[in-house]
Amino acid sequence: MTRTATAFFGGILIVLIAAFAAWGAEEGTGPFMPSWEPGQTWTLRLEAAKWESGQENGNGTGAILLRYRVRGMEEAGGETCWAVEVSGEGAGLSLEATLFYRAADFSLSIAEVTRTRMGETGRETWTFPREAPAVAKFADIPLETPVFPLTAPSRKTFEMERRIGNDLAFREKVVQSVDAAPGNGRAPSYEVICKNKDGIVLFAQRWEKGKPWAVEGHSGDRKYRMEEP
Amino acid sequence: MKRAGAVFFLISFFLILNVGAGQADALTYQADKLPWSGWWWPFAQGGLVTGTGYNGHPAPLEKYDLVTSGVAKGPATQYGLSAYYNALAKSWEGMCFCWAAAAMLEEEPVHRGIYGGLLFDVGDKKGILTAVYDGTLYNFYPIDGPEDFQEILETFIGNRRSMIMMDLGTDGEIWNYPVYKYDIDYTEDGNTRHYTVTIYFASDTVSPDYVGLRESIRTYHYYYELDGTVITGSGWESGSESEHPVSAADPYGTACTDPGLDYSHAREIVYTDDDPYEPNDDFDAAASVTSGGYLLIAANNDYFQVDLRTGDRLRIRVDMESPGDVTVNVYDPARAKIGIVCDGCTTTAEALMAGAYVIEVIPADPSAEPAYELYLEQALSFRGVFPNDPSGIWAGGVTLTGDGEALGRVILCQTDEEGNPERSYSTEVEGSCLEGLLEAFGLTPSLGGYIRVDSDRPLAGMYTTTDGSDLLMGCNLVPLSRAYREIVFPHIASVSGWNTYFGFMNMGDSSEELDLVVYDSSGGTVTSERWVLDPGEKVEDDRFTGLFPSRGASVSISTRSGNDTLVGYLVYQPPLATSKARALLAVEGPPASELHLPHVAATGAWWTGISVMNGGTGSADVGFSAYDSEGTLLGTVYRTLAAKQTLVSMAAYLFTGVLPERIASLKISGGTGAELTGLVVYGSRDGQALSAAPMASSFPGTLYAPWWYVSDTWWEGLAVVQRGTSPVTVVFDLMDDTGTVLRRVTRLLEPEERIIAMAETLFGTPVPDAAKIVRVYGGEAPLSGICIFGACDGKRLCGDLLPGIVP
């Protein structure tokens, strides 16, 4: 084999290695961020806790379908954001929301939620810092958002702040861990779990490549999963 | 003094400074809407389905079932029995969560209401709402520390100004309450803030009927350790260490778990207030009503009006929850007060002028919303009764006919067992007959009472009931003129698996003391009882109750007053293992010295049984004469019947040496003054078909078959015997509902000759679609006739004597 041939085949090998590496990053469990387009829609089946007196453990589930629609890029809070509309209703509750995700990193910036319950309407706005997972346990729709990009495996610690009273804050460390989830014949996916310092799970989600939002997850007693289109 | 003043100023200044640095002002936050108090329906009592701890039966879910499915133990209650009732439940287990959710999400029911003819108290309504919220959809928030507790209060009550449910139970018990308000205060001690928070919530230990919010409060203490404004530690203190809220829930709707409960229907019931006749608050707004029973609420003055014609009578009865709840006045069309009605009393208004008679109801305390029952019974010039209106899954049909003239006003009034009018159908009939299913008249389901028929003209008629597949029974209308001081049930079938129901009622206007005597087959008294029947009251008994003596063969019932007020009926039921058939016949008076049976069926397919009782006080030699279809006497046999003795036999068995098939009719004679009562039972030998009828003397006038049962699936047969002493031309008219004769058939009948034919054979086919009534007359000759109809599948049979029109 001549040097030229060696160089040629060596070049091919390098190209192949680089290509496989790129494929692994794209199709495997490398850094992942969702990808949206204006007009894109999906539906989340939200299974809230349901009280059943006759059951031994007193809990069943009741479902509300939440319809998501990417409205487009908009300015919100001084930043360029993806605006996502959410609507859903069921069992006496009607929900309308606009969620603003920072375009740069898909972190949740602002959530405006209008809730109508038994004819009474209330509107709330949450704002979230960029540098920590978004958690809003009192929201009627799941707002929890991990810090992107997701890399498996990874484990990061963030500090979050809860406001108590008019003048106090309660800070707690939150650990976001990401692991590759078994594909089971489907696209690569990521298991995201956020826990507080006591090990209590604040939320858990599974994100799947090619899907616009978490395909399933839970926070507290609330579970949700993305409906097949 | 100046110095003392300076010292006081300085002390005050430092005191103010100290308080200002260590304690903030207490703040109070409250939700915009407030919850309502209610009962927590403990599982150990199961009050939602048992009524225990509340008003007994019907319990709230039973009421729901009654108005939605017609039965108390319907699907909602069935589920509730398994889910909301557990006698072994822990003492604290119950429906607090569901009540709390309902109290947060639903408007409070604050008024009683009548829905579907049932009274729903506030407690019933709150109970139903509580059950509806078994299935509450909610967001759940654990309270792991004071931060969670305060954050939840601030988020929901402070910021959203909405309620939040909290579990305040301790020691593993769960006690959920809607919290709607809190006070928050704190003191500072160095780097520690000590909080005192008082929450306000609705109590659930009130009566189920409680209206409003009964406030409960609980105070909790906790502290924060601070680093500047950052909480670095926290904990419960000052008694709250082991007694503090466990969790919170934010309910937002329900996916009702009880499959028998429908959310929309439940709300319709819950938010139905007062009664369906509102607004009827003054004379001009009086609600038009007719005969029937009305369950009403006097949350304000109520006015009702009944249109009467001169000569009509209106009986008015009012039953109150407590005497004096309401004052009831009756006014004539000129608005002159003509009477008052007290609790439990009956007042009769005689219509001296035509027009609207008004009943005015004035509550003593409108805020108490007293319920009352108003019973109205409009009596016209003729009254009859169908004595048996069985409750259960029966469909009933009524046919009525007059003497060919327009019937005029007809009122069908269904009663309960006590004779109280429950519901009625009023109409003005221009034709000569009225027929239809009770359902079409809005008269079902039955309450097990009977049906009164009032009309402007004398009527004959029949009421048949069926389960739709196997059972059919019916009997003729009994005119009240046939009510009698003593009625006799000549045969109580009780052997070989047979059962007999017998019923009797007092059709008079006053209570009657009755003697009920049971006789054995020899006429000896087995037992006797004294009964008291209120006006209109009905009693039904049967062989299976265990009260009827085993040796009993017959029964007589008589009024001590001698008033002619009694009507009764018998229902025969063959062994259930072999047959579903039943046979009904009316029992009326008075007895007769001679009875006629126009048809004997003694063939390979049919049997005919007869029962004849000597109701007199002495023995009687009773002659039984059998005739063939041409009127030829086949034979006469005599039986001596002791007083009250009954002969029970297959008709053919009486006449030895006579071919059973030849016997067409019977004449039974006890001689002058005899008091005979008899009945006949026809049955198919396969046990599937059964029919019964009373025996009576022949009728010297026109007979009617007021029903027409000829179709592809039904057959009808007629048998008529001419009981005169010379040949007579008997006319059979087939008429429509206007009295128009569609077909006419005549037959010359010799004395005792019988004509028997299927109706379509008699009148020829095809029979006109408009056919409704058969009229039979033979001039002055007395006739005796019977009509029997049956389903072509052989399973159902029914019949009765052809009645005449009796005023």
Side-chain angles (χ1 to χ4, degrees):
Chain A
M1 185 178 288
T2 64
R3 278 188 181 178
T4 305
T6 301
F8 175 75
F9 284 110
I12 290 176
L13 185 61
I14 289 168
V15 169
L16 282 174
I17 290 171
F20 275 110
W23 178 83
E26 184 64 29
E27 300 299 327
T29 51
F32 165 77
M33 293 183 75
S35 167
W36 293 343
E37 293 176 0
Q40 188 173 6
T41 61
W42 64 90
T43 301
L44 210 62
R45 180 183 179 83
L46 177 65
E47 293 186 340
K50 177 183 172 186
W51 184 270
E52 293 186 5
S53 291
Q55 302 299 313
E56 191 66 27
N57 60 7
N59 277 295
T61 56
I64 296 177
L65 292 181
L66 295 173
R67 294 173 294 277
Y68 288 69
R69 177 179 166 275
V70 179
R71 195 162 67 196
M73 291 281 202
E74 297 178 13
E75 287 294 312
E79 298 177 281
T80 302
C81 295
W82 284 104
V84 179
E85 296 172 345
V86 187
S87 63
E89 60 185 23
L93 182 68
S94 175
L95 296 168
E96 301 284 341
T98 304
L99 312 180
F100 294 96
Y101 291 86
R102 297 179 183 90
D105 57 9
F106 284 90
S107 63
L108 182 61
S109 172
I110 300 170
E112 298 169 347
V113 180
T114 302
R115 141 199 178 115
T116 303
R117 184 180 74 173
M118 298 297 172
E120 292 193 342
T121 298
R123 180 185 170 95
E124 282 184 289
T125 300
W126 281 271
T127 58
F128 301 91
R130 178 194 294 270
E131 59 278 359
V135 176
K137 63 181 180 182
F138 299 122
D140 290 301
I141 63 175
L143 300 179
E144 48 265 32
T145 309
V147 174
F148 291 105
L150 304 179
T151 304
S154 66
R155 186 179 179 85
K156 292 181 182 174
T157 300
F158 305 91
E159 185 166 271
M160 295 178 58
E161 186 175 278
R162 288 160 59 190
R163 305 297 301 180
I164 306 290
N166 294 325
D167 59 341
L168 301 181
F170 182 81
R171 290 181 185 154
E172 61 181 351
K173 291 193 173 0
V174 175
V175 177
Q176 173 180 307
S177 59
V178 183
D179 290 293
N184 293 333
R186 295 185 301 196
S189 59
Y190 302 81
E191 292 279 4
V192 183
I193 298 177
C194 282
K195 295 180 181 177
N196 68 9
K197 65 179 174 50
D198 299 321
I200 294 173
V201 175
L202 301 178
F203 70 88
Q205 293 178 332
R206 187 167 69 83
W207 289 77
E208 190 174 297
K209 284 198 170 184
K211 295 293 173 63
W213 214 78
V215 293
E216 60 185 355
H218 66 86
S219 55
D221 279 9
R222 183 168 62 190
K223 298 175 183 174
Y224 46 85
R225 62 181 166 79
M226 190 178 290
E227 294 278 283
E228 292 298 326
Chain B
M1 189 64 197
K2 277 186 179 178
R3 194 170 170 183
V7 169
F8 176 78
F9 172 79
L10 284 172
I11 290 172
S12 301
F13 178 75
F14 283 113
L15 276 175
I16 291 168
L17 271 184
N18 189 45
V19 169
Q23 183 172 332
D25 292 335
L27 295 172
T28 298
Y29 300 90
Q30 181 171 312
D32 289 337
K33 279 187 66 176
L34 301 181
W36 39 266
S37 287
W39 180 230
W40 61 285
W41 305 100
F43 287 159
Q45 293 183 334
L48 283 177
V49 287
T50 65
T52 303
Y54 187 40
N55 290 336
H57 294 286
L61 289 188
E62 290 179 318
K63 287 187 177 182
Y64 177 91
D65 276 331
L66 280 167
V67 299
T68 55
S69 67
V71 292
K73 293 288 185 289
T77 303
Q78 292 290 348
Y79 180 85
L81 283 168
S82 65
Y84 311 140
Y85 179 39
N86 176 9
L88 302 177
K90 296 183 180 75
S91 61
W92 54 269
E93 290 180 331
M95 305 285 285
C96 65
F97 187 100
C98 306
W99 155 73
M104 294 169 69
L105 297 178
E106 299 288 346
E107 292 296 324
E108 180 181 23
V110 296
H111 295 293
R112 308 171 106 185
I114 307 290
Y115 186 94
L118 269 186
L119 173 65
F120 285 84
D121 283 308
V122 167
D124 293 314
K125 294 177 169 185
K126 290 187 172 181
I128 290 170
L129 282 180
T130 299
V132 163
Y133 275 84
D134 179 25
T136 298
L137 303 177
Y138 65 102
N139 293 318
F140 176 78
Y141 309 110
I143 297 177
D144 294 324
E147 305 92 348
D148 291 337
F149 175 57
Q150 187 172 337
E151 189 180 23
I152 288 168
L153 289 174
E154 286 174 350
T155 300
F156 287 92
I157 300 177
N159 297 335
R160 295 185 184 177
R161 301 179 67 83
S162 65
M163 296 170 266
I164 183 72
M165 188 194 306
M166 282 192 177
D167 176 6
L168 306 181
T170 57
D171 300 325
E173 297 185 3
I174 298 171
W175 290 95
N176 288 289
Y177 299 96
V179 180
Y180 60 90
K181 176 181 170 184
Y182 71 98
D183 302 329
I184 185 165
D185 197 4
Y186 66 84
T187 59
E188 286 186 336
D189 179 13
N191 293 330
T192 303
R193 268 192 197 175
H194 298 277
Y195 278 84
T196 299
V197 173
T198 299
I199 61 170
Y200 299 74
F201 53 94
S203 168
D204 67 351
T205 52
V206 298
S207 155
D209 286 328
Y210 184 85
V211 173
L213 166 62
R214 177 174 292 173
E215 190 173 82
S216 291
I217 62 172
R218 228 169 262 186
T219 299
Y220 299 99
H221 304 279
Y222 56 86
Y223 65 90
Y224 293 142
E225 292 170 352
L226 302 176
D227 178 5
T229 59
V230 176
I231 299 170
T232 57
S234 64
W236 300 97
E237 63 180 1
S238 303
S240 297
E241 294 88 342
S242 59
E243 293 190 5
H244 53 76
V246 176
S247 63
D250 177 29
Y252 56 80
T254 184
C256 186
T257 303
D258 186 338
L261 275 177
D262 175 75
Y263 177 72
S264 297
H265 207 152
R267 280 176 55 89
E268 188 179 319
I269 293 168
V270 165
Y271 297 115
T272 295
D273 294 337
D274 214 316
D275 59 58
Y277 298 93
E278 294 291 334
N280 59 335
D281 304 341
D282 54 42
F283 276 97
D284 294 334
S288 289
V289 290
T290 181
S291 294
Y294 301 88
L295 177 60
L296 302 158
I297 294 172
N300 49 27
N301 290 3
D302 290 340
Y303 291 80
F304 302 92
Q305 71 174 47
V306 182
D307 291 323
L308 301 181
R309 294 181 192 169
T310 305
D312 291 353
R313 291 192 311 155
L314 180 65
R315 287 166 56 96
I316 307 161
R317 176 188 166 100
V318 174
D319 289 342
M320 307 174 195
E321 290 180 295
S322 300
D325 274 354
V326 294
T327 301
V328 181
N329 302 312
V330 185
Y331 296 85
D332 69 12
R335 299 216 176 150
K337 186 171 168 181
I338 59 172
I340 60 172
V341 189
C342 61
D343 181 30
C345 304
T346 300
T347 295
T348 301
E350 305 275 352
L352 301 177
M353 66 178 83
Y357 286 71
V358 174
I359 299 143
E360 176 189 56
V361 181
I362 303 170
D365 178 9
S367 67
E369 302 182 358
Y372 62 101
E373 289 173 292
L374 174 66
Y375 294 104
L376 301 173
E377 188 184 322
Q378 185 178 356
L380 306 182
S381 60
F382 171 84
R383 170 167 286 185
V385 60
F386 292 119
N388 183 37
D389 185 20
S391 60
I393 309 170
W394 294 84
V398 165
T399 59
L400 296 167
T401 190
D403 53 8
E405 302 294 325
L407 297 187
R409 291 177 299 166
V410 175
I411 302 171
L412 303 176
C413 183
Q414 220 167 4
T415 77
D416 61 17
E417 286 188 350
E418 294 175 345
N420 294 317
E422 284 295 325
R423 54 183 81 88
S424 69
Y425 172 74
S426 297
T427 186
E428 178 117 22
V429 182
E430 294 180 355
S432 61
C433 78
L434 173 69
E435 64 167 2
L437 294 173
L438 248 58
E439 191 174 2
F441 299 141
L443 293 180
T444 55
S446 162
L447 298 168
Y450 53 91
I451 297 174
R452 285 195 191 102
V453 178
D454 282 273
S455 68
D456 287 332
R457 300 184 64 83
L459 300 175
M462 189 178 208
Y463 176 49
T464 55
T465 54
T466 178
D467 72 340
S469 58
D470 298 309
L471 302 175
L472 178 73
M473 60 182 182
C475 70
N476 285 342
L477 179 71
V478 180
L480 277 205
S481 60
R482 295 284 296 168
Y484 196 57
R485 70 200 63 154
E486 180 178 21
I487 56 174
V488 172
F489 304 99
H491 179 47
I492 305 297
S494 59
V495 297
S496 303
W498 281 72
N499 189 27
T500 305
Y501 297 83
F502 61 94
F504 51 97
M505 60 205 70
N506 169 22
M507 301 309 298
D509 290 336
S510 56
S511 292
E512 293 287 350
E513 284 187 81
L514 307 178
D515 289 310
L516 185 153
V517 185
V518 179
Y519 303 102
D520 62 21
S521 59
S522 302
T525 298
V526 177
T527 184
S528 63
E529 298 174 22
R530 174 182 166 275
W531 285 73
V532 176
L533 251 58
D534 289 331
E537 187 178 358
K538 167 185 164 178
V539 170
E540 184 176 270
D541 203 349
D542 75 283
R543 274 286 294 117
F544 284 162
T545 59
L547 301 175
F548 197 83
S550 60
R551 288 189 298 118
S554 59
V555 174
S556 80
I557 300 167
S558 57
T559 59
R560 288 190 174 178
S561 67
N563 292 333
D564 294 332
T565 65
L566 297 178
V567 169
Y569 62 91
L570 275 166
V571 178
Y572 291 118
Q573 182 177 306
L576 285 170
T578 57
S579 174
K580 292 184 176 177
R582 292 184 199 184
L584 165 70
L585 72 153
V587 175
E588 55 193 60
S593 60
E594 188 172 276
L595 303 173
H596 293 143
L597 177 58
H599 176 53
V600 174
T603 66
W606 296 94
W607 55 264
T608 300
I610 62 168
S611 174
V612 176
M613 181 175 179
N614 170 20
T617 54
S619 65
D621 293 327
V622 180
F624 295 80
S625 300
Y627 297 87
D628 67 10
S629 60
E630 294 175 348
T632 303
L633 179 64
L634 299 175
T636 300
V637 297
Y638 291 90
R639 294 286 186 273
T640 299
L641 296 182
K644 313 301 181 187
Q645 186 178 9
T646 298
L647 179 143
V648 180
S649 174
M650 289 294 176
Y653 293 174
L654 288 172
F655 306 98
T656 54
V658 176
L659 280 175
E661 292 85 352
R662 290 197 64 200
I663 302 173
S665 66
L666 296 182
K667 180 165 69 179
I668 300 154
S669 179
T672 305
E675 298 180 17
L676 302 182
T677 303
L679 60 85
V680 58
V681 179
Y682 302 105
S684 64
R685 296 197 186 278
D686 65 5
Q688 299 304 307
L690 195 72
S691 179
M695 288 190 202
S697 300
S698 52
F699 188 76
T702 303
L703 301 178
Y704 292 87
W707 53 91
W708 182 254
Y709 261 88
V710 179
S711 70
D712 291 340
T713 52
W714 291 91
W715 57 263
E716 178 172 328
L718 294 165
V720 174
V721 177
Q722 197 270 101
R723 299 292 186 185
T725 55
S726 57
V728 167
T729 297
V730 177
V731 180
F732 297 82
D733 284 337
L734 180 63
M735 302 189 298
D736 65 12
D737 59 5
T738 67
T740 302
V741 175
L742 305 172
R743 299 271 172 84
R744 171 166 290 175
V745 175
T746 59
R747 293 284 189 275
L748 181 66
L749 295 185
E750 296 292 328
E752 304 298 344
E753 183 178 354
R754 184 196 69 174
I755 178 172
I756 184 169
M758 301 297 274
E760 55 190 331
T761 306
L762 180 67
F763 292 107
T765 54
V767 292
D769 291 339
K772 298 289 184 189
I773 308 162
V774 177
R775 179 174 63 188
V776 185
Y777 58 97
E780 298 299 318
L783 302 175
S784 174
I786 197 166
C787 176
I788 296 178
F789 50 89
C792 296
D793 62 8
K795 287 185 176 178
R796 285 160 289 174
L797 191 71
C798 187
D800 209 333
L801 299 178
L802 297 185
I805 303 289
V806 179

